[in-house]
Amino acid sequence: MNENRPNTDEVYYPSQEVIAQARVKDWDALAKKAHADLQGFWAAEAEELEWYRKWNKVLDDSQKPFYKWFAGAQCNIIHNALDRHQKTWRRNKLSLVWVGEKGDVRTYSYYALNRDVCKFANVLKAMGVRKGDRVTIYMPRVPEIVIAMLAAAKIGAIHNVVYGGFSVEALQQRIEDSESKVVVTADGGFMNGKIVELKKTVDDAVKRSPSVETVIVVQRTAHEVRMEPGRDYWYHDLMKLPLAQATCATEVMDSHEPLFVLYTSGTTGKPKGLIHGHGGYMTGVYSTLKYVFDIKDEDRYWCAADPGWITGHSYIVYGPLLLGATTFMYEGSPTYPYPNRWWNLVEKYGISILYTAPTAIRGLMRFGESWPNRHDLSTLRLLGSVGEPINPEAWKWYYRVIGKGRCPIMDTWWQTETGMFMITPTPVVPLKPGSGTRPFFGQQAEILDEQGKPVADGEEGFLVLTRPWPAMAMTIYRDPERYVKQYWSQYPGKYMAGDSAKRDKDGYFWVIGRTDDVIKVSGYRLGTAEIESVLVAHPAVAEAAVIGLPHEVKGNAIHCYCLLRGGHKPSPELEQELKDHVAKQLGPIVRPEKVTIVDSLPKTRSGKIMRRVLKARAQGLPEGDVSTLEE
Ligand code: WT7
């Protein structure tokens, strides 16, 4: 049998030890209860957090699909992530343990993190940031990225974190769309022993962004960078000023007021700024992390994503802090200086929960078992996976070699839009390699055909969610119509995820991949349209089509087909130049695997490029329905 094809009958049961430790031992009972009373379930979860004013209504659905969770309530996520811990013993507990790529270590107690967040919140205020203002954060994985996010949220500003692996074009678009006044960045970051030039990218992006008044720069690499007088300030200078006082009031927010905007690729060239609010997001993230990773005070929890993605927002920054947990963060690459870096960190810091992506597992698997086997990984008790479907081969390696057959793998399916885990096991749920198992407590998913009819078990269809959940994105920034059109109009009243999936006879869900023009490359979500528009901006390119093709480590890789403008000739040098052009504009993660120069592109009679046909041809598969094709 092909080890890479999921077998829906293969089941891994939790051990007695896992069951004994689990917070919820009877999954079915709680699922049944939450299903029967969705609002009651979420009200009870919300009661575990502190609110300045309680809600009048758990869920106001009078303006669907703009659901309002905890309507009438007042809160601030920072009150629950930081303020309330100051009143308990957790004040002295480690909130964040951070390790740099060079091996430097920094730790923050809840007290110390709160102090720095207050200080930076006062700095932001002094820079004129007010409630509702947007602050763009473009940083390496250093503690200050967390501090900047929390400080913005504390004063009611809206953070807009842009992943530090993106380049000028992507950053500029996101600064511009969000109309940020302030950008927080660093002189650079360390990755694979080299410096990532973040400040230079910010300079280029800000040149074209009139809204930006101030750039605050964290010193990380201490190499020479240009500082523009009157615009650029060093973080460490500002934090020393008397105005950076160690106390700062937390802004009182309405439950559904925005906490952050996070841009994600969609089907058009323009990324969508998804808005998440305080009350619902806080409750959803708190509850899912509590049940799924079953976090306890003794845990050292490591989510190895980047804070620049939703995974980092929900489950590096907010989730663990809401639970009063200790979160671990590592700056650099998993293979620097050697492929045992992660396993060394697990051993050295006693990591008990490790949450990462299939692409990272596949990448590390290539180096063989001897690297992890050199380390004591016995502190691990739970593992997690996110970002794309995990192939059974990688799942089994992770389970056997890293978890030593003791640690259940939480394969969590969710999205930037959902804010929290949606299809996920908890530690006691029997696992099937490659399946995220079943919807979270109170949730419901369906697999529909084009017309909205449920397909039979075992058949592929469109994945939809049929019940509201508290951490759902509230809207698309300044484009509510697009929010409705994109997610809620295909099947009225139901949320269309944009994924294809199957359900098996046991009710387990198997996500297959995206159904739209989004490519998952190493778990990163990239829009074909964004890449195409960068390609056609190159003087040699008249038209471009971008598709994803299977890749052993990355899951999918970017393949570009370009039609040249008159006067330009195909050559290997030009192909290379186009790859560099895309990587330079959008970031190294967006570097195409292959650029092919073509004389024609398959199009429909109305002129739309048929990427599906390109994909089939590249893989030597049947082209499907080509009745509308015109080349
Ligand atoms: C897309 C969302 C939210 C986590 C980071 C990605 C794919 C995510 C899984 C999983 C299969 C998965 C889907 C989804 N995806 N997790 N466990 N199994 N597919 O967030 O960048 O918004 O991407 O990632 O295709 O739609 P995102």
Side-chain angles (χ1 to χ4, degrees):
M1 196 193 80
N2 179 353
E3 250 225 280
N4 261 325
R5 190 161 307 139
N7 168 1
T8 61
D9 291 328
E10 189 180 13
V11 185
Y12 288 66
Y13 292 92
S15 66
Q16 285 310 317
E17 196 191 339
V18 166
I19 295 171
Q21 286 181 358
R23 190 181 307 254
V24 173
K25 298 191 188 354
D26 190 345
W27 186 91
D28 293 282
L30 185 54
K32 216 166 146 190
K33 199 171 148 211
H35 185 81
D37 182 9
L38 179 70
Q39 295 190 26
F41 172 80
W42 286 112
E45 294 301 310
E47 289 285 354
E48 294 181 13
L49 296 162
E50 293 182 358
W51 300 75
Y52 299 130
R53 192 175 75 202
K54 286 280 169 68
W55 48 92
N56 318 319
K57 240 181 159 179
V58 177
L59 175 63
D60 172 359
D61 60 1
S62 59
Q63 288 162 54
K64 278 188 262 192
F66 299 99
Y67 292 90
K68 279 190 178 154
W69 281 87
F70 308 109
Q74 288 184 327
C75 61
N76 187 311
I77 196 167
I78 300 303
H79 177 87
N80 284 291
L82 293 175
D83 303 2
R84 70 170 176 152
H85 302 311
Q86 307 304 318
K87 298 176 281 188
T88 72
W89 66 272
R90 285 204 181 86
R91 172 178 190 272
N92 287 317
K93 181 178 171 174
L94 288 181
S95 58
L96 175 64
V97 175
W98 173 88
V99 177
E101 199 182 68
K102 296 174 153 216
D104 38 342
V105 180
R106 277 158 70 189
T107 57
Y108 289 81
S109 64
Y110 271 91
Y111 174 78
L113 186 63
N114 183 55
R115 181 199 56 213
D116 280 14
V117 167
C118 287
K119 284 169 70 84
F120 194 58
N122 285 320
V123 166
L124 289 176
K125 276 193 190 167
M127 291 299 180
V129 178
R130 298 285 173 265
K131 179 173 171 175
D133 287 348
R134 278 77 56 207
V135 174
T136 293
I137 301 174
Y138 178 70
M139 285 178 78
R141 270 198 298 274
V142 291
E144 288 84 355
I145 187 172
V146 178
I147 293 166
M149 289 166 74
L150 298 173
K154 186 177 178 76
I155 60 172
I158 302 170
H159 59 69
N160 168 33
V161 184
V162 180
Y163 173 58
F166 276 141
S167 289
V168 189
E169 189 68 29
L171 175 62
Q172 196 265 333
Q173 250 182 354
R174 286 157 175 79
I175 292 175
E176 189 176 297
D177 191 76
S178 67
E179 294 176 309
S180 294
K181 258 192 193 168
V182 173
V183 176
V184 187
T185 188
D187 51 356
F190 292 110
M191 188 57 71
N192 282 310
K194 292 192 208 91
I195 289 177
V196 184
E197 295 280 357
L198 296 169
K199 177 63 167 62
K200 273 208 184 109
T201 306
V202 169
D203 287 342
D204 288 347
V206 166
K207 242 187 267 165
R208 295 183 274 149
S209 311
S211 65
V212 177
E213 293 163 10
T214 308
V215 176
I216 301 176
V217 188
V218 171
Q219 192 172 53
R220 168 63 187 140
T221 54
H223 73 304
E224 184 78 25
V225 293
R226 198 182 69 87
M227 296 290 278
E228 173 142 335
R231 188 197 69 186
D232 300 352
Y233 299 87
W234 288 109
Y235 175 92
H236 57 264
D237 287 341
L238 297 172
M239 292 289 269
K240 273 188 262 175
L241 297 176
L243 62 87
Q245 279 174 29
T247 54
C248 175
T250 303
E251 188 76 31
V252 174
M253 306 296 284
D254 286 343
S255 176
H256 53 267
E257 278 186 300
L259 166 64
F260 64 82
V261 56
L262 185 59
Y263 287 85
T264 188
S265 296
T267 38
T268 71
K270 203 171 155 245
K272 299 174 283 201
L274 288 151
I275 295 278
H276 283 280
H278 277 257
Y281 176 79
M282 153 177 108
T283 308
V285 165
Y286 164 83
S287 169
T288 46
L289 187 61
K290 180 183 75 174
Y291 288 122
V292 175
F293 284 111
D294 207 12
I295 297 200
K296 310 213 164 54
D297 270 318
E298 313 77 274
D299 277 311
R300 276 276 167 101
Y301 161 84
W302 180 12
C303 167
D306 191 277
W309 303 95
I310 191 69
T311 311
H313 280 56
S314 299
Y315 299 114
I316 296 177
V317 180
Y318 289 112
L321 298 179
L322 289 168
L323 286 159
T326 301
T327 190
F328 179 83
M329 197 161 125
Y330 163 61
E331 176 186 34
S333 144
T335 51
Y336 186 84
Y338 300 109
N340 66 330
R341 187 68 194 262
W342 272 18
W343 317 128
N344 184 34
L345 290 169
V346 168
E347 176 173 3
K348 189 161 174 195
Y349 293 94
I351 303 299
S352 55
I353 302 169
L354 176 65
Y355 182 32
T356 184
T359 183
I361 298 160
R362 288 191 298 262
L364 290 164
M365 201 169 118
R366 278 195 316 177
F367 295 100
E369 293 179 27
S370 61
W371 293 100
N373 286 347
R374 281 161 54 180
H375 296 276
D376 177 3
L377 305 180
S378 63
T379 51
L380 288 172
R381 67 177 187 91
L382 279 176
L383 301 173
S385 174
V386 65
E388 57 174 321
I390 181 164
N391 47 308
E393 195 191 350
W395 194 100
K396 287 177 192 171
W397 189 87
Y398 195 28
Y399 188 76
R400 180 175 60 82
V401 179
I402 307 307
K404 310 293 178 204
R406 293 184 299 104
C407 310
I409 299 175
M410 302 297 103
D411 180 355
T412 59
W413 177 90
W414 58 297
Q415 308 177 299
T416 307
E417 292 85 347
T418 70
M420 64 180 222
F421 307 147
M422 296 305 294
I423 298 179
T424 176
T426 71
V428 298
V429 171
L431 304 174
K432 299 187 185 191
S435 168
T437 76
R438 293 175 285 204
F440 185 71
F441 302 123
Q443 290 307 308
Q444 199 169 289
E446 287 175 4
I447 312 286
L448 304 181
D449 68 12
E450 205 101 32
Q451 281 72 45
K453 273 211 334 272
V455 304
D457 282 347
E459 271 176 36
E460 190 174 337
F462 296 94
L463 176 64
V464 301
L465 303 171
T466 57
R467 294 177 131 202
W469 62 96
M472 61 206 302
M474 298 188 311
T475 188
I476 292 176
Y477 189 56
R478 294 193 313 190
D479 203 349
E481 272 160 41
R482 190 171 173 200
Y483 176 74
V484 177
K485 196 164 157 252
Q486 181 85 40
Y487 305 107
W488 300 92
S489 11
Q490 185 77 14
Y491 307 112
K494 297 176 178 177
Y495 172 85
M496 191 186 67
D499 279 4
S500 65
K502 294 181 188 178
R503 181 170 51 200
D504 71 18
K505 60 184 188 325
D506 298 323
Y508 276 42
F509 286 84
W510 301 78
V511 171
I512 297 159
R514 299 289 309 186
T515 55
D516 52 9
D517 295 320
V518 165
I519 315 179
K520 278 272 168 167
V521 180
S522 302
Y524 298 123
R525 175 166 163 179
L526 306 174
T528 53
E530 273 165 271
I531 306 170
E532 287 162 3
S533 64
V534 163
L535 280 166
V536 297
H538 187 281
V541 180
E543 257 187 294
V546 169
I547 57 167
L549 290 176
H551 184 279
E552 207 184 319
V553 174
K554 298 179 187 170
N556 296 288
I558 299 168
H559 290 252
C560 311
Y561 296 84
C562 298
L563 210 73
L564 298 185
R565 283 178 193 274
H568 293 270
K569 290 217 164 48
S571 71
E573 292 73 33
L574 180 58
E575 288 173 10
Q576 188 58 39
E577 188 183 319
L578 292 173
K579 281 190 201 174
D580 294 343
H581 169 74
V582 173
K584 180 158 183 281
Q585 293 298 305
L586 290 173
I589 55 164
V590 199
R591 173 176 290 278
E593 187 76 12
K594 195 159 182 238
V595 172
T596 309
I597 295 179
V598 294
D599 310 319
S600 70
L601 288 168
K603 285 188 186 166
T604 60
R605 266 173 224 130
S606 58
K608 270 193 171 167
I609 297 171
M610 294 178 87
R611 297 188 188 82
R612 166 175 76 73
V613 171
L614 279 171
K615 213 168 155 164
R617 284 181 191 167
Q619 294 178 280
L621 297 170
E623 289 181 16
D625 178 9
V626 286
S627 51
T628 58
L629 179 70
E630 189 162 87
E631 284 220 48

